[in-house]
């Protein structure tokens, strides 16, 4: 990845910290819970698509959180003498 030390270079420290603490929305969590409770092979194709979409959103959020935390660590190392 080019310029790995600044994965999120245009985000403020406060923004990075906020991103690192971010969680999935309560609506997403409720939908996830309901879908998983019925994931015994009886989910409709539409429900399976929704579950896949939620999983994708959670994956993207986790990747963004990891990038934010990595960027903060890189900035802290750069700021230390």
């Amino acid at each position: 990845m080019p310029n790995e030390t600044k994965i999120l270079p245009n985000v403020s420290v406060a923004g990075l910290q906020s991103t690192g603490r971010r969680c999935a929305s309560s609506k997403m969590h409720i939908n996830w819970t309901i879908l998983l409770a019925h994931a015994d092979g009886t989910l409709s194709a539409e429900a399976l698509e929704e579950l896949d979409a939620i999983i994708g959103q959670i994956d993207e959020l986790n990747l963004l959180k990891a990038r934010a935390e990595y960027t903060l660590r890189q900035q802290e190392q750069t700021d230390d003498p």
Side-chain angles (χ1 to χ4, degrees), residues 1-77:
M1 184 177 297
N3 201 10
E4 281 189 18
T5 60
K6 294 185 179 181
I7 292 178
L8 299 173
N10 298 321
V11 181
S12 69
V13 171
L16 291 168
Q17 291 169 336
S18 175
T19 299
R21 291 187 300 266
R22 192 166 238 186
C23 298
S25 71
S26 58
K27 181 181 180 218
M28 184 188 302
H29 181 72
I30 290 168
N31 289 349
W32 166 266
T33 304
I34 291 169
L35 289 168
L36 285 180
H38 295 84
D40 59 359
T42 60
L43 286 176
S44 67
E46 183 179 305
L48 283 172
E49 283 183 31
E50 183 179 356
L51 185 57
D52 284 343
I54 291 171
I55 291 169
Q57 290 172 354
I58 291 170
D59 286 346
E60 288 179 24
L61 178 59
N62 286 334
L63 182 57
L64 181 60
K65 288 171 63 171
R67 287 180 175 168
E69 290 173 16
Y70 177 79
T71 302
L72 280 171
R73 281 193 219 116
Q74 293 301 313
Q75 288 179 353
E76 288 170 2
Q77 289 177 359

